[in-house]
Amino acid sequence: MSAPVAWHASLPARPNGRGYGTDRGLNAHLFEPDSGFTRARRKAESQPNARRWAFDMSRAQYEIWETFWQDDLGGGIRPITFTDPVTANSFSAQVIGAPVEERLAPELWRVQLTLREL
C-alpha cells in the first residue's frame, strides 16, 4: 500500500454535521441452524470502521477537490490522512466507493465520501 496523502489544506477541514457518521462492521459470522437460535462466531480481533463524510465546498474548493482526487489520490487508490473532527486525533483511511458529488447551487457543491479506517 502506498503512503497516505494529507488532506488538502484548501479543502474544508471538517465534514458537515449532517452526513457525518460511523458504520461499525459486524465482527461475526452468523449461522442459522435448522432449529434453535442463530449462532455467531467472531471473525477477527478487531474490525475496521467505515466513516461517512460530506463536505460542502465553494466552486474554487470543488475545483481543488477534482485535482486532488485525480492527481494526489490517484482516483481513490491512495489513502488519506485526516484529523478526526470529534477526537482531534489523526488517522489514515482508504476511500471505499466512488465519491458522490452534487451541485447544490451555482457556487456550492457537496462531496460525500465513504472511508475505511486503516
Side-chain angles (χ1 to χ4, degrees):
M1 174 174 33
S2 59
V5 176
W7 184 251
H8 198 286
S10 297
L11 296 174
R14 297 175 63 89
N16 301 345
R18 174 174 236 141
Y20 172 79
T22 300
D23 299 326
R24 303 203 184 276
L26 180 63
N27 191 16
H29 289 288
L30 301 178
F31 171 72
E32 295 194 30
D34 292 336
S35 63
F37 297 104
T38 301
R39 314 234 180 201
R41 183 173 50 99
R42 191 176 195 170
K43 286 183 191 177
E45 288 298 315
S46 65
Q47 185 80 0
N49 296 325
R51 295 175 179 241
R52 291 173 281 109
W53 288 6
F55 298 91
D56 287 347
M57 300 180 186
S58 67
R59 178 69 183 158
Q61 287 174 320
Y62 180 72
E63 290 172 0
I64 291 168
W65 159 254
E66 288 180 311
T67 303
F68 179 66
W69 174 256
Q70 288 302 324
D71 296 346
D72 297 346
L73 298 180
I77 297 300
R78 294 182 197 94
I80 303 170
T81 298
F82 202 85
T83 301
D84 187 296
V86 176
T87 65
N89 294 329
S90 180
F91 71 96
S92 295
Q94 182 71 49
V95 176
I96 53 170
V100 177
E101 300 171 356
E102 176 181 18
R103 183 177 174 208
L104 303 176
E107 296 297 319
L108 183 63
W109 290 79
R110 178 168 295 147
V111 175
Q112 299 174 38
L113 298 171
T114 303
L115 308 162
R116 179 166 293 128
E117 294 177 35
L118 298 177

